[in-house]
Amino acid sequence: MTQEDTAEFTLRLGSGEVPLSRRHRHRRVQASTVRRKPTRGDTLSIVTTGVTVAIVAAVCVLGGAVTHNPLRHLAGADTAPREVADWWPLLVYGPWMVASLSILRAALHQRRAPHSWCVVLLFSAFAIVLCIDQAPRTITSATVASLPTIATVACFHQLVRQITLTRPPRRGGVANRRAPTP
């Protein structure tokens, strides 16, 4: 191979040279990504998702505000100092919030998050049981005590569904599929 031939296979970067193999000479021409103008349906879908996020945030804040006092009363003066009792609901809603963020991240990456859903459901069940325990012993009171947590989980589930519908999986191979075992 002459020096002219090697010059053909060399890429000059700054002060150094990087030899290219023959297979890199025949690069596939990738289709240029042309951005299309968003349709009314695309715009409506994004607006709907934004409204859903706002409603879920409002329901979560309201649900947390309503259930905070019953959960705080559980860690009363006989259980913990007042400063600690004020933060006690965080033990219920902290894991719930972390698992919720994990679920949202998984939904954005078109992945499943079954363990995080288990954490959300478990700590939601804790919140429901603890709030019902603090409520008067009537069916109506138990329903009122459990409704904020149930509404929060239902709204959060619908938000995750909205995200997975607005970001459909990419065409091609399935990322999480395992090969069948013989």
Side-chain angles (χ1 to χ4, degrees), residues 40-58 104 107-108 155-168:
R40 284 185 186 170
D42 294 338
T43 305
L44 185 61
S45 177
I46 291 171
V47 168
T48 303
T49 303
V51 170
T52 303
V53 167
I55 292 170
V56 168
L104 286 175
L108 288 171
C155 287
F156 179 69
H157 181 262
Q158 291 304 309
L159 173 64
V160 172
R161 297 283 297 159
Q162 285 281 332
I163 291 171
T164 56
L165 290 175
T166 35
R167 295 180 51 90

Side-chain angles (χ1 to χ4, degrees), residues 4-15:
E4 292 172 7
D5 292 335
T6 55
E8 181 182 350
F9 299 112
T10 306
L11 175 66
R12 296 183 189 276
L13 295 174
S15 61

Side-chain angles (χ1 to χ4, degrees), residues 23-31:
R23 66 183 170 167
H24 287 262
R25 282 184 17 191
H26 302 288
R27 293 183 186 162
R28 281 188 279 163
V29 178
Q30 294 180 352

Side-chain angles (χ1 to χ4, degrees), residues 20-140:
L20 295 175
S21 64
R22 290 189 185 271
R23 66 183 170 167
H24 287 262
R25 282 184 17 191
H26 302 288
R27 293 183 186 162
R28 281 188 279 163
V29 178
Q30 294 180 352
S32 63
T33 56
V34 179
R35 290 207 137 185
R36 64 180 177 85
K37 186 177 179 182
T39 64
R40 284 185 186 170
D42 294 338
T43 305
L44 185 61
S45 177
I46 291 171
V47 168
T48 303
T49 303
V51 170
T52 303
V53 167
I55 292 170
V56 168
V59 169
C60 286
V61 168
L62 182 61
V66 169
T67 59
H68 186 270
N69 262 345
L71 293 175
R72 190 174 53 84
H73 284 294
L74 284 172
D78 56 333
T79 309
R82 177 148 170 75
E83 296 82 27
V84 175
D86 286 341
W87 289 98
W88 193 84
L90 189 60
L91 291 176
V92 174
Y93 288 118
W96 193 97
M97 183 61 74
V98 171
S100 298
L101 292 173
S102 181
I103 291 168
L104 286 175
R105 182 176 182 272
L108 288 171
H109 291 283
Q110 290 98 26
R111 303 271 192 258
R112 296 175 58 231
H115 294 95
S116 297
W117 275 112
C118 288
V119 170
V120 165
L121 293 176
L122 177 70
F123 280 90
S124 295
F126 286 161
I128 289 170
V129 168
L130 294 173
C131 286
I132 288 174
D133 183 55
Q134 291 295 309
R137 303 287 182 241
T138 65
I139 298 293
T140 307

